[in-house]
């Protein structure tokens, strides 16, 4: 069944979707004045927060799952083909 889904949407789309959404998030975060860590065309986006664990808790309350990297003062999000622009918008809206 999973292969049928991949066949329907195309493997190229699946491989491009996560990095596209991550790039959009990086742009949105930068537009809020946050410092986004250097990144290539990946599905990961890390950005600086004064209290990463507080931000993770706040986002979880908004139904957004991200990870704190407190030793580095960062929060990290990961995207895949299963995500959409609404997920990016919900993450941005849930930020303090």
């Amino acid at each position: 069944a999973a292969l049928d889904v991949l066949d329907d949407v195309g493997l190229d789309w699946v491989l491009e979707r996560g990095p596209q959404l991550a790039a959009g998030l990086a742009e949105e975060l930068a537009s809020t004045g946050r410092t986004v860590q250097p990144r290539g065309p990946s599905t990961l986006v890390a950005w600086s927060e004064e209290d990463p664990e507080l931000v993770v808790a706040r986002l979880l309350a908004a139904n957004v799952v991200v990870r704190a990297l407190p030793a580095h003062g960062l929060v990290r999000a990961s995207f895949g083909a299963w995500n959409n622009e609404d997920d990016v918008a919900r993450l941005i809206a849930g930020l303090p």
Side-chain angles (χ1 to χ4, degrees), residues 7 9-10 13 19 22-23 29 31 47 51 60-61 65 72 80 82:
D7 196 35
V9 298
W13 181 86
L29 289 165
S31 75
W47 69 95
D51 188 343
L60 186 58
V65 178
H72 303 285
W82 52 86

Side-chain angles (χ1 to χ4, degrees), residues 31-87:
S31 75
T32 69
R34 287 176 167 79
T35 301
V36 177
Q37 297 302 297
R39 53 181 308 279
S42 79
T43 61
L44 301 175
V45 180
W47 69 95
S48 299
E49 289 287 350
E50 191 171 311
D51 188 343
E53 291 169 329
L54 176 67
V55 171
V56 168
R58 181 173 175 157
L59 288 171
L60 186 58
N63 237 2
V64 177
V65 178
V66 294
R67 179 177 178 199
L69 304 171
H72 303 285
L74 300 173
V75 175
R76 184 177 71 193
S78 177
F79 284 88
W82 52 86
N83 293 110
N84 62 35
E85 289 79 4
D86 291 342
D87 295 325

